[in-house]
Every structure is written in C-alpha cells, then in structure tokens.
Amino acid sequence: MSGLSMWFVNTFGGVLTKEALVFLVSMVPILELRGGLVLASALGVEMWKAIAICVTGNIIPVPFILLLITPIFNWLKQRKAFKPMVEKLENKAMSKKDSIEKYEFWGLVLFVGIPLPGTGAWTGSLIAAMLNIRFRKAFPAVCLGIVMATVIMTTLSYLIPGLFF
C-alpha cells in the first residue's frame, strides 16, 4: 500500500469507517480508484462493495473537472500567486495528450483505463477539458476507462492474491 494511502489510514482511520476511507482515497488525484481498490483489499472490504465504492468515488469529480476546470484555471492564471502552479499542471497534463488528441474517445478510454502512473480519471478529464472535447463525448469515455481500470485493478488487488492466500 502506498505511503499516501497509509497517511489516509493513519490520519482518518479512527474517525472514518473502512468504506469511507476507501471512498475518500478513490476521489483523490493520483490514488483514485487504483489506490482505493488496493486499500480496500488491504483493509478487508468485500470485493463487490469495494468496487461500488471505488467506482462511485472516482466518478464523482469527473463532471466537475470536465465542466469547471478550464474557467477555474483561467481565473487562477490571472492571480500572480497561482499562475505558475496552474501552468505547471497544464503543461504536465498536456505532455500526455498525444493518444487522446489522436484517437479522442478511444484514446481517452485507454488513457484512463490502463493503470499506469500519471494516468486516470483526473488527468484524463483535465486533458479532455483542455482539448475542448465535448462533455457528451468525454464523460462516457472516462466512465468506460474507469470500468476498464476497475477490472484490471480488481484482478490485481483481489483475484490474483486470492489464488495464493
């Protein structure tokens, strides 16, 4: 389990239930559904319950990112203190745009769905918003990518370890 996941457990473990911790981790950028499922498995949360919690937690931020991140970034870039941070986030996200830009829907599905560092629903939604991909195309692609990531991470977090332990 990652250090960031352990921070959540150590910080909120006495206050939140296992399920609430998993939900919270699934909503956080970087960790997202992948971290949520690994944490759920480590905490002994039932697989089907963990899937529902993690998918829900990972999907909730997506519409807000797709619809609001561009105006928020534009507003923040007008503030001297935030401009460098926003430009750094934009540059980092746009450095990963090639497959999404070329294949749009399916590129976005694969970008969100293949659990590699720097990919996921948050970054995929940010790139989609910055590329002006319409919500009605981007949201289903991100959701399909989340389903794909769920299958992969459930297999890695629950099914394969279950064969050996």
Side-chain angles (χ1 to χ4, degrees):
M1 191 168 8
S2 79
L4 192 51
S5 293
M6 284 308 299
W7 179 85
F8 277 96
V9 171
N10 293 333
T11 304
F12 301 109
V15 180
L16 300 174
T17 65
K18 295 185 293 190
E19 292 81 3
L21 280 168
V22 169
F23 181 76
L24 186 62
V25 166
S26 297
M27 289 183 71
V28 172
I30 300 168
L31 294 174
E32 301 188 34
L33 174 127
R34 295 164 255 217
L37 281 170
V38 170
L39 179 62
S41 176
L43 294 176
V45 177
E46 181 186 329
M47 183 180 75
W48 294 108
K49 184 188 276 189
I51 290 170
I53 292 167
C54 291
V55 167
T56 304
N58 202 202
I59 286 177
I60 286 175
V62 171
F64 297 102
I65 297 166
L66 289 171
L67 296 171
L68 301 174
I69 200 68
T70 303
I72 290 170
F73 273 10
N74 289 339
W75 183 81
L76 286 172
K77 283 193 285 189
Q78 294 172 1
R79 280 41 184 187
K80 201 176 211 177
F82 295 108
K83 187 175 182 176
M85 177 194 68
V86 171
E87 288 176 345
K88 184 178 178 181
L89 286 169
E90 286 178 333
N91 291 335
K92 186 170 176 100
M94 292 309 277
S95 71
K96 301 172 186 223
K97 72 177 180 154
D98 293 338
S99 63
I100 295 174
E101 193 170 43
K102 186 174 181 181
Y103 300 107
E104 259 191 31
F105 183 87
W106 292 109
L108 190 53
V109 169
L110 291 174
F111 184 86
V112 173
I114 297 174
L116 296 171
T119 65
W122 276 80
T123 308
S125 297
L126 175 60
I127 295 169
M130 294 175 67
L131 293 175
N132 295 316
I133 298 174
R134 298 179 98 152
F135 181 86
R136 68 175 189 230
K137 191 177 208 176
F139 186 70
V142 172
C143 289
L144 193 54
I146 288 172
V147 169
M148 184 177 167
T150 302
V151 170
I152 294 167
M153 290 309 300
T154 301
T155 301
L156 294 174
S157 300
Y158 280 91
L159 302 179
I160 291 175
L163 294 173
F164 299 105
F165 302 107

